Amino acid sequence: MPYRSWVSVTVNGQQHRLEVDHRTTLLEVLRDHLDLTGAKRACDRGECGACTVLLDGQPVYACHLLAMQVRERPVVTIEGLAAQADFRPVMEAFVASDAGQCGFCTPGFAVATYAALQHYPTASEAQLRWELVGHLCRCNAYDKIMVAVQEASRRRLGAS
């Protein structure tokens, strides 16, 4: 019988108390328990970035963390960011640049872009590319994604 315990997680500003198996990942909590499906299960090994969320304001792979590891630490998903006004330039840039293509990787790229621009508002293209290392796109839309990332940077600077 698997070992189960209670865990409290704060996701998008809302606290949740869940009984989970001790091996349950943050991604499983988000998708299977909280019905937040923006973070995608792709590689399930912390290699592709499709499951990226913010933990303490830093981008992390949700498939790579156990739910027990995030106790009392704020988690923000793409759904939580979508409600924030300062995320709008990122979202609009991805749409305007057609950076989504199939859309599977888009939430992870958008969350990572938001985090990068929070920390480095005037980042160069090279810096932004470095911040997105570890994010994979199955459609090979990297050129459009970089156009979107640079446009998001311009839009955010214009809004400041």
Side-chain angles (χ1 to χ4, degrees):
M1 181 163 162
Y3 176 72
R4 297 180 67 81
S5 61
W6 289 94
V7 64
S8 291
V9 293
T10 303
V11 180
N12 300 331
Q14 204 171 20
Q15 190 165 24
H16 304 273
R17 185 165 159 77
L18 308 162
E19 185 180 17
V20 297
D21 182 287
H22 70 285
R23 299 166 295 184
T24 302
T25 65
L26 174 58
L27 181 61
E28 291 168 327
V29 164
L30 296 173
R31 293 184 63 82
D32 303 339
H33 296 271
L34 303 180
D35 201 31
L36 295 169
T37 58
K40 305 295 187 228
R41 181 177 291 117
C43 71
D44 218 16
R45 292 183 286 186
E47 295 177 354
C48 72
C51 64
T52 301
V53 298
L54 299 180
L55 177 64
D56 297 325
Q58 299 297 317
V60 298
Y61 295 160
C63 75
H64 220 234
L65 290 170
L66 295 175
M68 302 298 172
Q69 292 176 283
V70 300
R71 292 181 185 186
E72 310 303 321
R73 298 166 67 194
V75 175
V76 180
T77 67
I78 189 81
E79 292 91 347
L81 287 178
Q84 295 180 197
D86 64 344
F87 182 68
R88 181 167 291 288
V90 175
M91 192 168 40
E92 289 173 349
F94 270 77
V95 170
S97 302
D98 191 27
Q101 293 211 1
C102 85
F104 200 80
C105 68
T106 306
F109 270 106
V111 170
T113 298
Y114 175 84
L117 295 175
Q118 288 290 103
H119 295 287
Y120 310 105
T122 59
S124 68
E125 178 182 350
Q127 288 172 306
L128 292 170
R129 284 183 184 275
W130 178 252
E131 291 297 314
L132 297 176
V133 165
H135 288 264
L136 302 177
C137 173
R138 296 173 178 182
C139 299
N140 199 20
Y142 296 108
D143 290 339
K144 290 182 178 186
I145 290 167
M146 282 314 301
V147 167
V149 171
Q150 292 172 306
E151 178 61 23
S153 178
R154 283 190 290 277
R155 288 176 186 229
R156 284 178 57 95
L157 287 174
S160 301

